[in-house]
Amino acid sequence: MLVGLYCDLQVYKHIHKDKRERELLAWWERNRGMYPELQWNEFAAATGSTLGVFFLFLSASDEHLSAEQSEVIFRAYFPHVCGLHILLDYLIDQEEDEAGGDLNFCNYYGDLNLTVNRIEWIVERARADVACLAHTSFHRMIIEGLLALYLSDPKVNGQPEVRLVSKKLMKGSPMTRLFFWANSVWIRRKGG
């Protein structure tokens, strides 16, 4: 299912600019009943992540994996962990997407406060979703790592609104996120 959703997104997102938003919204209408708590841009973003696919692929190497366990993994990662992944990517790419005329799912929030509130809500839902998985702390580490990696990206500093969103999302962060953030900054400085 995740691969099918990913492929659908690529089709709708990359068709002619005059058609893409209309087609994405029609696609959302066909799927919104399963994810009523999401906004259409959040659903679309979640379908663009391959994190759930990779985790299911890894899990498939377990010969004892049942269909029920696969479903638990799917629901733990989709839509919130996957959505967080791609929304953060779009958050830091807003300037270059605007310059390139590309669609950016964060632009549909309309203002800074809504962007922060929705991403914070998705983070909390993602944390709750992975609680059902074995090695929960590992999956929570992925969530914190995503936030740290994207919010420490040099692109953040060049975009005043994105910098404000980043500061608000980092405020009151757990130690794991702060650890990853500091290390990401340090590694980028050393590598540059």
Side-chain angles (χ1 to χ4, degrees), residues 5-50:
L5 290 170
Y6 179 87
C7 291
D8 289 346
L9 173 68
Q10 299 312 311
V11 169
Y12 298 131
K13 186 176 174 248
H14 296 292
I15 58 176
H16 194 276
K17 289 179 184 181
D18 294 341
K19 295 179 182 179
R20 68 183 176 196
E21 190 172 312
R22 181 181 69 237
E23 292 300 323
L24 283 164
L25 288 168
W27 178 49
W28 165 239
E29 286 303 321
R30 293 190 299 273
N31 289 280
R32 86 180 307 159
M34 293 184 292
Y35 307 100
E37 76 282 3
L38 295 180
Q39 296 181 14
W40 79 268
N41 57 312
E42 295 164 345
F43 169 77
T47 66
S49 174
T50 53

Side-chain angles (χ1 to χ4, degrees), residues 7-181:
C7 291
D8 289 346
L9 173 68
Q10 299 312 311
V11 169
Y12 298 131
K13 186 176 174 248
H14 296 292
I15 58 176
H16 194 276
K17 289 179 184 181
D18 294 341
K19 295 179 182 179
R20 68 183 176 196
E21 190 172 312
R22 181 181 69 237
E23 292 300 323
L24 283 164
L25 288 168
W27 178 49
W28 165 239
E29 286 303 321
R30 293 190 299 273
N31 289 280
R32 86 180 307 159
M34 293 184 292
Y35 307 100
E37 76 282 3
L38 295 180
Q39 296 181 14
W40 79 268
N41 57 312
E42 295 164 345
F43 169 77
T47 66
S49 174
T50 53
L51 285 177
V53 173
F54 293 147
F55 184 38
L56 283 165
F57 185 75
L58 171 67
S59 299
S61 67
D62 177 357
E63 62 188 40
H64 303 293
L65 183 72
S66 68
E68 293 79 20
Q69 290 168 314
S70 295
E71 184 67 22
V72 168
I73 292 168
F74 169 78
R75 294 198 184 288
Y77 266 70
F78 190 86
H80 302 109
V81 175
C82 291
L84 176 65
H85 171 211
I86 300 304
L87 285 170
L88 290 169
D89 187 51
Y90 276 94
L91 177 70
I92 68 168
D93 286 347
Q94 287 182 80
E95 191 173 80
E96 61 188 58
D97 286 347
E98 184 177 340
D102 295 326
L103 183 130
N104 186 301
F105 294 126
C106 284
N107 291 342
Y108 290 94
Y109 285 126
D111 69 48
L112 260 164
N113 287 331
L114 184 57
T115 303
V116 171
N117 291 340
R118 290 303 293 177
I119 292 175
E120 284 177 336
W121 178 81
I122 289 169
V123 169
E124 292 308 313
R125 291 297 305 265
R127 285 182 182 149
D129 291 347
V130 300
C132 66
L133 297 173
H135 312 292
T136 301
S137 60
F138 172 78
H139 300 285
R140 288 186 71 141
M141 188 173 64
I142 289 172
I143 293 165
E144 301 307 331
L146 285 170
L147 285 152
L149 184 68
Y150 281 103
L151 298 179
S152 68
D153 192 286
K155 293 178 192 177
V156 170
N157 291 328
Q159 302 173 79
E161 285 194 5
V162 175
R163 190 170 55 247
L164 283 172
V165 170
S166 177
K167 284 181 180 182
K168 289 181 181 217
L169 291 172
M170 288 300 295
K171 186 178 180 181
S173 291
M175 289 304 295
T176 308
R177 187 183 312 165
L178 294 172
F179 173 80
F180 284 131
W181 186 89

